[in-house]
Amino acid sequence: MPSAPHSPFPLRRRVRRISPLLWCAGLALASMLAASPALAQDITFTATGAPQPYAIANVQPDVRGLAPGMGEAEVRAALAKAYPASRIEATKATITYLSDGVAFRSRPVLTQMTAQASGLGTQEEVTLSFGLPTTGSPLLGIQRRVDFGSSAAAPQVAPLVGQLIEKYGPPSFRRGEEAAPVQSLIWVFGTGKVQPCGTKAPCPAVSATFAIGRLDSYRAAVEEKQDLLIQVDLIVQAGGRVRSFKTTLADNRGAVASYEAAQSQIVAAVDARAAQQGTAPETPKF
C-alpha cells in the first residue's frame, strides 16, 4: 500500500513540554534518516480503549452509513454496502519522532481509504481518515463529494436541504439563501447536542484530514464544545438545481483520544531508551 506523509507540526504534552518535535512519514523520513546516526526499534502502538459512540438525540451522525469511531472492518463493510462496485484504496504511513539523534518510528498504520462510484449522470468520491491503533484505528474524518453531470440527475436545493435537516437537525449556521450559487450548512455538536455558532462566535473550519501534530488544535476544539463537526457545501446551477455538493465530517473528540494515547506511548519509548543509557532526553537536532 502507498504511504502518505504526516505534516510536521510542533506537539506539546500537558504535563511535560517536549519541544521541538517532528512527526513525518514516507519520503520525508528518508532524508531525515540520512543525517540520523541511529534508528530505534519500531514502536507498536497498543490499544488503550476507545471513546464512547456519539449519542445525539434525533440525529444520525454518519455519512452514507459511515460513522465516526468505526474500525477498519466496519468501514469496509459500510463501503461495500454503499459502493458495491467500487474499488477501495487504502493508505498506510509511519509516524516518526527524532530525539537526540535517534529516530523513533511507528510500524505502518492505516491513515486513509478512498472509494469512487458513478451512476446515471453522477460521479461520487468518498475519502476517509483514520486515527491510530491506540483507540482501534477509528474513523475520524469523512469527505464525500457528489457531482451531477446532467440537470435531469441533479436535485433541487430545497428538497436536498430538507433531507439534511431531517438527518442532522437544524444547522448551527447557514450561509447563502436558497437561490445563492454557493451555500454552506454547518452543524456543531458538543456534549451530546447541537451548539450555536455564527453569531457571537464564528463557526469553525471543518476538515476531514487529521494529523497527530495538530493535537493541540483538537484539544482546543473539544474544550469549545466542538466535539463533532459536519459541513455541507452546495454549488447551485441555474434553475435551482444542485450542480455538486460536498459533505465533510470531523471527529475532534476521537482525535484527542487517539493521539493523546499515541503521544504518551512514543514519549514513554523515548524516556525508556534514555533511562537505559543513563541520560536525560535532549532537544532533537535537525
PDB file of all heavy atoms in Angstrom, residues 46-70:
ATOM      1  N   THR A  46      -0.151   0.258  21.291  1.00  0.00           N
ATOM      2  CA  THR A  46      -1.015  -0.689  21.988  1.00  0.00           C
ATOM      3  C   THR A  46      -2.360  -0.042  22.274  1.00  0.00           C
ATOM      4  O   THR A  46      -2.451   1.171  22.490  1.00  0.00           O
ATOM      5  CB  THR A  46      -0.379  -1.149  23.310  1.00  0.00           C
ATOM      6  OG1 THR A  46      -0.117   0.009  24.135  1.00  0.00           O
ATOM      7  CG2 THR A  46       0.931  -1.865  23.047  1.00  0.00           C
ATOM      8  N   ALA A  47      -3.406  -0.854  22.248  1.00  0.00           N
ATOM      9  CA  ALA A  47      -4.764  -0.345  22.455  1.00  0.00           C
ATOM     10  C   ALA A  47      -4.976   0.053  23.909  1.00  0.00           C
ATOM     11  O   ALA A  47      -4.588  -0.662  24.833  1.00  0.00           O
ATOM     12  CB  ALA A  47      -5.781  -1.400  22.046  1.00  0.00           C
ATOM     13  N   THR A  48      -5.583   1.214  24.101  1.00  0.00           N
ATOM     14  CA  THR A  48      -5.888   1.708  25.450  1.00  0.00           C
ATOM     15  C   THR A  48      -7.382   1.927  25.641  1.00  0.00           C
ATOM     16  O   THR A  48      -7.800   2.580  26.589  1.00  0.00           O
ATOM     17  CB  THR A  48      -5.151   3.026  25.724  1.00  0.00           C
ATOM     18  OG1 THR A  48      -5.565   4.005  24.754  1.00  0.00           O
ATOM     19  CG2 THR A  48      -3.654   2.843  25.625  1.00  0.00           C
ATOM     20  N   GLY A  49      -8.192   1.411  24.725  1.00  0.00           N
ATOM     21  CA  GLY A  49      -9.633   1.631  24.789  1.00  0.00           C
ATOM     22  C   GLY A  49     -10.088   2.561  23.688  1.00  0.00           C
ATOM     23  O   GLY A  49      -9.290   3.027  22.877  1.00  0.00           O
ATOM     24  N   ALA A  50     -11.362   2.834  23.668  1.00  0.00           N
ATOM     25  CA  ALA A  50     -11.946   3.705  22.647  1.00  0.00           C
ATOM     26  C   ALA A  50     -13.016   4.580  23.280  1.00  0.00           C
ATOM     27  O   ALA A  50     -13.661   4.170  24.249  1.00  0.00           O
ATOM     28  CB  ALA A  50     -12.558   2.874  21.520  1.00  0.00           C
ATOM     29  N   PRO A  51     -13.198   5.797  22.766  1.00  0.00           N
ATOM     30  CA  PRO A  51     -14.250   6.666  23.313  1.00  0.00           C
ATOM     31  C   PRO A  51     -15.629   6.108  23.014  1.00  0.00           C
ATOM     32  O   PRO A  51     -15.819   5.325  22.078  1.00  0.00           O
ATOM     33  CB  PRO A  51     -14.023   7.990  22.576  1.00  0.00           C
ATOM     34  CG  PRO A  51     -13.287   7.615  21.331  1.00  0.00           C
ATOM     35  CD  PRO A  51     -12.453   6.436  21.676  1.00  0.00           C
ATOM     36  N   GLN A  52     -16.587   6.493  23.807  1.00  0.00           N
ATOM     37  CA  GLN A  52     -17.963   6.041  23.607  1.00  0.00           C
ATOM     38  C   GLN A  52     -18.531   6.595  22.303  1.00  0.00           C
ATOM     39  O   GLN A  52     -18.192   7.711  21.900  1.00  0.00           O
ATOM     40  CB  GLN A  52     -18.852   6.494  24.770  1.00  0.00           C
ATOM     41  CG  GLN A  52     -18.538   5.813  26.098  1.00  0.00           C
ATOM     42  CD  GLN A  52     -18.834   4.330  26.055  1.00  0.00           C
ATOM     43  OE1 GLN A  52     -19.859   3.888  25.541  1.00  0.00           O
ATOM     44  NE2 GLN A  52     -17.911   3.531  26.596  1.00  0.00           N
ATOM     45  N   PRO A  53     -19.385   5.824  21.612  1.00  0.00           N
ATOM     46  CA  PRO A  53     -20.016   6.340  20.388  1.00  0.00           C
ATOM     47  C   PRO A  53     -20.857   7.575  20.695  1.00  0.00           C
ATOM     48  O   PRO A  53     -21.315   7.780  21.821  1.00  0.00           O
ATOM     49  CB  PRO A  53     -20.896   5.170  19.924  1.00  0.00           C
ATOM     50  CG  PRO A  53     -20.336   3.964  20.609  1.00  0.00           C
ATOM     51  CD  PRO A  53     -19.797   4.442  21.918  1.00  0.00           C
ATOM     52  N   TYR A  54     -21.053   8.389  19.683  1.00  0.00           N
ATOM     53  CA  TYR A  54     -21.868   9.587  19.858  1.00  0.00           C
ATOM     54  C   TYR A  54     -23.334   9.207  20.054  1.00  0.00           C
ATOM     55  O   TYR A  54     -23.874   8.352  19.335  1.00  0.00           O
ATOM     56  CB  TYR A  54     -21.739  10.509  18.641  1.00  0.00           C
ATOM     57  CG  TYR A  54     -20.462  11.297  18.635  1.00  0.00           C
ATOM     58  CD1 TYR A  54     -19.379  10.893  17.864  1.00  0.00           C
ATOM     59  CD2 TYR A  54     -20.326  12.447  19.413  1.00  0.00           C
ATOM     60  CE1 TYR A  54     -18.192  11.615  17.854  1.00  0.00           C
ATOM     61  CE2 TYR A  54     -19.149  13.174  19.411  1.00  0.00           C
ATOM     62  CZ  TYR A  54     -18.088  12.751  18.636  1.00  0.00           C
ATOM     63  OH  TYR A  54     -16.909  13.469  18.636  1.00  0.00           O
ATOM     64  N   ALA A  55     -23.947   9.848  21.020  1.00  0.00           N
ATOM     65  CA  ALA A  55     -25.378   9.670  21.265  1.00  0.00           C
ATOM     66  C   ALA A  55     -26.012  11.054  21.254  1.00  0.00           C
ATOM     67  O   ALA A  55     -25.985  11.782  22.248  1.00  0.00           O
ATOM     68  CB  ALA A  55     -25.621   8.977  22.606  1.00  0.00           C
ATOM     69  N   ILE A  56     -26.556  11.431  20.103  1.00  0.00           N
ATOM     70  CA  ILE A  56     -27.164  12.754  19.923  1.00  0.00           C
ATOM     71  C   ILE A  56     -28.634  12.541  19.597  1.00  0.00           C
ATOM     72  O   ILE A  56     -28.966  11.850  18.627  1.00  0.00           O
ATOM     73  CB  ILE A  56     -26.473  13.535  18.799  1.00  0.00           C
ATOM     74  CG1 ILE A  56     -24.960  13.613  19.054  1.00  0.00           C
ATOM     75  CG2 ILE A  56     -27.052  14.939  18.671  1.00  0.00           C
ATOM     76  CD1 ILE A  56     -24.170  14.165  17.897  1.00  0.00           C
ATOM     77  N   ALA A  57     -29.500  13.102  20.395  1.00  0.00           N
ATOM     78  CA  ALA A  57     -30.941  12.865  20.252  1.00  0.00           C
ATOM     79  C   ALA A  57     -31.426  13.251  18.862  1.00  0.00           C
ATOM     80  O   ALA A  57     -31.154  14.356  18.374  1.00  0.00           O
ATOM     81  CB  ALA A  57     -31.710  13.657  21.312  1.00  0.00           C
ATOM     82  N   ASN A  58     -32.126  12.323  18.209  1.00  0.00           N
ATOM     83  CA  ASN A  58     -32.778  12.551  16.913  1.00  0.00           C
ATOM     84  C   ASN A  58     -31.802  12.902  15.790  1.00  0.00           C
ATOM     85  O   ASN A  58     -32.188  13.523  14.801  1.00  0.00           O
ATOM     86  CB  ASN A  58     -33.838  13.662  17.035  1.00  0.00           C
ATOM     87  CG  ASN A  58     -34.879  13.351  18.096  1.00  0.00           C
ATOM     88  OD1 ASN A  58     -35.373  12.235  18.180  1.00  0.00           O
ATOM     89  ND2 ASN A  58     -35.198  14.345  18.908  1.00  0.00           N
ATOM     90  N   VAL A  59     -30.543  12.502  15.930  1.00  0.00           N
ATOM     91  CA  VAL A  59     -29.539  12.810  14.913  1.00  0.00           C
ATOM     92  C   VAL A  59     -28.774  11.541  14.569  1.00  0.00           C
ATOM     93  O   VAL A  59     -28.376  10.781  15.462  1.00  0.00           O
ATOM     94  CB  VAL A  59     -28.552  13.889  15.407  1.00  0.00           C
ATOM     95  CG1 VAL A  59     -27.403  14.059  14.415  1.00  0.00           C
ATOM     96  CG2 VAL A  59     -29.268  15.218  15.588  1.00  0.00           C
ATOM     97  N   GLN A  60     -28.546  11.323  13.276  1.00  0.00           N
ATOM     98  CA  GLN A  60     -27.694  10.249  12.803  1.00  0.00           C
ATOM     99  C   GLN A  60     -26.361  10.855  12.362  1.00  0.00           C
ATOM    100  O   GLN A  60     -26.256  11.393  11.255  1.00  0.00           O
ATOM    101  CB  GLN A  60     -28.331   9.524  11.617  1.00  0.00           C
ATOM    102  CG  GLN A  60     -29.616   8.772  11.949  1.00  0.00           C
ATOM    103  CD  GLN A  60     -30.213   8.141  10.696  1.00  0.00           C
ATOM    104  OE1 GLN A  60     -30.677   8.828   9.793  1.00  0.00           O
ATOM    105  NE2 GLN A  60     -30.176   6.818  10.652  1.00  0.00           N
ATOM    106  N   PRO A  61     -25.335  10.804  13.188  1.00  0.00           N
ATOM    107  CA  PRO A  61     -24.056  11.440  12.817  1.00  0.00           C
ATOM    108  C   PRO A  61     -23.212  10.541  11.912  1.00  0.00           C
ATOM    109  O   PRO A  61     -22.142  10.063  12.278  1.00  0.00           O
ATOM    110  CB  PRO A  61     -23.384  11.646  14.182  1.00  0.00           C
ATOM    111  CG  PRO A  61     -23.883  10.497  15.003  1.00  0.00           C
ATOM    112  CD  PRO A  61     -25.303  10.226  14.531  1.00  0.00           C
ATOM    113  N   ASP A  62     -23.710  10.309  10.699  1.00  0.00           N
ATOM    114  CA  ASP A  62     -22.966   9.479   9.754  1.00  0.00           C
ATOM    115  C   ASP A  62     -23.119  10.034   8.348  1.00  0.00           C
ATOM    116  O   ASP A  62     -23.936  10.918   8.097  1.00  0.00           O
ATOM    117  CB  ASP A  62     -23.462   8.024   9.804  1.00  0.00           C
ATOM    118  CG  ASP A  62     -24.891   7.871   9.291  1.00  0.00           C
ATOM    119  OD1 ASP A  62     -25.100   7.991   8.060  1.00  0.00           O
ATOM    120  OD2 ASP A  62     -25.810   7.631  10.102  1.00  0.00           O
ATOM    121  N   VAL A  63     -22.320   9.502   7.433  1.00  0.00           N
ATOM    122  CA  VAL A  63     -22.395   9.855   6.021  1.00  0.00           C
ATOM    123  C   VAL A  63     -22.439   8.550   5.230  1.00  0.00           C
ATOM    124  O   VAL A  63     -21.478   7.782   5.254  1.00  0.00           O
ATOM    125  CB  VAL A  63     -21.174  10.697   5.589  1.00  0.00           C
ATOM    126  CG1 VAL A  63     -21.257  11.039   4.100  1.00  0.00           C
ATOM    127  CG2 VAL A  63     -21.068  11.973   6.429  1.00  0.00           C
ATOM    128  N   ARG A  64     -23.560   8.271   4.607  1.00  0.00           N
ATOM    129  CA  ARG A  64     -23.750   7.036   3.849  1.00  0.00           C
ATOM    130  C   ARG A  64     -23.448   5.792   4.698  1.00  0.00           C
ATOM    131  O   ARG A  64     -22.845   4.823   4.238  1.00  0.00           O
ATOM    132  CB  ARG A  64     -22.881   7.010   2.592  1.00  0.00           C
ATOM    133  CG  ARG A  64     -23.258   7.965   1.474  1.00  0.00           C
ATOM    134  CD  ARG A  64     -24.654   7.747   0.923  1.00  0.00           C
ATOM    135  NE  ARG A  64     -24.927   6.398   0.448  1.00  0.00           N
ATOM    136  CZ  ARG A  64     -24.673   5.936  -0.775  1.00  0.00           C
ATOM    137  NH1 ARG A  64     -24.112   6.750  -1.674  1.00  0.00           N
ATOM    138  NH2 ARG A  64     -24.985   4.722  -1.108  1.00  0.00           N
ATOM    139  N   GLY A  65     -23.860   5.816   5.953  1.00  0.00           N
ATOM    140  CA  GLY A  65     -23.643   4.677   6.825  1.00  0.00           C
ATOM    141  C   GLY A  65     -22.266   4.621   7.448  1.00  0.00           C
ATOM    142  O   GLY A  65     -21.975   3.702   8.228  1.00  0.00           O
ATOM    143  N   LEU A  66     -21.406   5.580   7.138  1.00  0.00           N
ATOM    144  CA  LEU A  66     -20.062   5.666   7.701  1.00  0.00           C
ATOM    145  C   LEU A  66     -20.093   6.602   8.899  1.00  0.00           C
ATOM    146  O   LEU A  66     -20.406   7.789   8.758  1.00  0.00           O
ATOM    147  CB  LEU A  66     -19.071   6.172   6.655  1.00  0.00           C
ATOM    148  CG  LEU A  66     -18.899   5.256   5.435  1.00  0.00           C
ATOM    149  CD1 LEU A  66     -18.372   6.059   4.247  1.00  0.00           C
ATOM    150  CD2 LEU A  66     -17.969   4.096   5.761  1.00  0.00           C
ATOM    151  N   ALA A  67     -19.776   6.072  10.075  1.00  0.00           N
ATOM    152  CA  ALA A  67     -19.911   6.853  11.303  1.00  0.00           C
ATOM    153  C   ALA A  67     -18.570   6.994  12.007  1.00  0.00           C
ATOM    154  O   ALA A  67     -17.723   6.089  11.952  1.00  0.00           O
ATOM    155  CB  ALA A  67     -20.915   6.180  12.241  1.00  0.00           C
ATOM    156  N   PRO A  68     -18.345   8.119  12.683  1.00  0.00           N
ATOM    157  CA  PRO A  68     -17.090   8.296  13.425  1.00  0.00           C
ATOM    158  C   PRO A  68     -16.943   7.212  14.487  1.00  0.00           C
ATOM    159  O   PRO A  68     -17.912   6.811  15.125  1.00  0.00           O
ATOM    160  CB  PRO A  68     -17.240   9.688  14.048  1.00  0.00           C
ATOM    161  CG  PRO A  68     -18.716   9.964  14.044  1.00  0.00           C
ATOM    162  CD  PRO A  68     -19.256   9.269  12.848  1.00  0.00           C
ATOM    163  N   GLY A  69     -15.709   6.743  14.651  1.00  0.00           N
ATOM    164  CA  GLY A  69     -15.444   5.695  15.631  1.00  0.00           C
ATOM    165  C   GLY A  69     -15.417   4.295  15.065  1.00  0.00           C
ATOM    166  O   GLY A  69     -14.942   3.370  15.714  1.00  0.00           O
ATOM    167  N   MET A  70     -15.927   4.104  13.840  1.00  0.00           N
ATOM    168  CA  MET A  70     -15.887   2.787  13.222  1.00  0.00           C
ATOM    169  C   MET A  70     -14.444   2.335  13.007  1.00  0.00           C
ATOM    170  O   MET A  70     -13.585   3.130  12.654  1.00  0.00           O
ATOM    171  CB  MET A  70     -16.595   2.805  11.858  1.00  0.00           C
ATOM    172  CG  MET A  70     -18.098   2.745  11.896  1.00  0.00           C
ATOM    173  SD  MET A  70     -18.749   2.655  10.187  1.00  0.00           S
ATOM    174  CE  MET A  70     -20.471   2.248  10.519  1.00  0.00           C
TER     175      MET A  70
END
